[in-house]
Amino acid sequence: MALKTYKPVTSTVRHLVGIDRSDLHKGAPVKTLTEGQSRTGGRNNHGHITTRRRGGGHKKLYRIVDFKRDIVDIPATVMAIEYDPYRTAYIALVQYQDAENTKRYIIAPDGLKKGDTVITLTKRPSEFPVGTCLPLKFIPPAQKIFCLEMQPGKGAQIARGAGAGAQLVGVDGEMATVKMPSGEIRMINAE
């Protein structure tokens, strides 16, 4: 994600910094990986307003994001980096190189580009490319991590937003010590 500055034609624009979104996919999302979200506009089942000052806004499609990353030891190629209206982080459309060529959305880490390869591993790798998903016991200490599970197989619950990252302090037996984005130190299962 690159930052862009503007020509200082007025005093308000002089120090303005924006986000360069030119690398994002410009087409529609994959239809099979989206679902509609019904909005109430503050109305109940009779159509009466029960919560005032609600409503309006742009119509949005919810993208189904794979927080479990349960396709193991099969590499996936990043097809596109996309904007998601329901979250601050960008999402990446990945296509696994299995028999069905499965497509899924994942949270895109900083530095991931179209054409990169991501993988979920269950054993210690020799190198750690961007987007690799592994158990905490295989990650070196002091590493910045995101999309953490509380229990194995439950799916990511911690550090899922843009710029949010936890830090692995150390691993002791079956438990890993993790410093949360809030600064809290927490013990999490090392699997």
Side-chain angles (χ1 to χ4, degrees):
M1 179 175 64
L3 299 177
K4 61 181 179 179
T5 56
Y6 297 91
K7 187 175 179 181
V9 291
T10 64
S11 59
T12 56
V13 179
R14 186 171 307 281
H15 302 289
L16 181 66
V17 177
I19 298 171
D20 184 19
R21 293 185 172 95
S22 61
D23 295 339
L24 292 181
H25 179 68
K26 298 190 175 38
V30 178
K31 194 170 185 179
T32 56
L33 297 176
T34 59
E35 58 186 30
Q37 293 281 309
S38 61
R39 297 169 65 162
T40 62
R43 287 158 173 80
N44 63 6
N45 60 335
H46 298 294
H48 299 286
I49 295 176
T50 55
T51 307
R52 296 183 293 173
R53 299 170 190 89
R54 289 273 179 99
H58 202 285
K59 193 173 185 180
K60 301 183 281 190
L61 278 176
Y62 180 77
R63 277 81 165 164
I64 301 166
V65 177
D66 178 22
F67 288 114
K68 291 189 178 183
R69 302 276 299 265
D70 53 358
I71 299 179
V72 180
D73 296 329
I74 297 175
T77 306
V78 177
M79 307 301 288
I81 305 290
E82 298 183 15
Y83 172 79
D84 190 352
Y86 279 96
R87 63 192 79 248
T88 55
Y90 292 145
I91 56 175
L93 176 66
V94 296
Q95 184 171 10
Y96 288 92
Q97 298 166 1
D98 56 358
E100 296 89 30
N101 285 331
T102 309
K103 288 184 179 180
R104 292 197 178 170
Y105 281 122
I106 63 168
I107 299 289
D110 193 23
L112 193 69
K113 300 180 298 297
K114 182 179 177 180
D116 287 354
T117 302
V118 297
I119 191 166
T120 301
L121 297 172
T122 54
K123 56 187 184 303
R124 184 182 303 276
S126 57
E127 57 184 25
F128 298 93
V130 174
T132 304
C133 180
L134 348 138
L136 288 174
K137 62 183 178 183
F138 298 138
I139 299 174
Q143 190 78 23
K144 193 163 182 178
I145 50 181
F146 73 104
C147 285
L148 291 166
E149 292 182 325
M150 298 289 279
Q151 287 96 24
K154 189 172 182 183
Q157 293 177 284
I158 300 170
R160 294 183 354 179
Q167 186 177 15
L168 183 65
V169 177
V171 179
D172 184 32
E174 293 183 4
M175 300 303 281
T177 307
V178 177
K179 185 177 181 185
M180 297 294 167
S182 63
E184 174 191 357
I185 305 291
R186 181 176 271 186
M187 300 288 281
I188 295 178
N189 192 321
E191 291 293 324

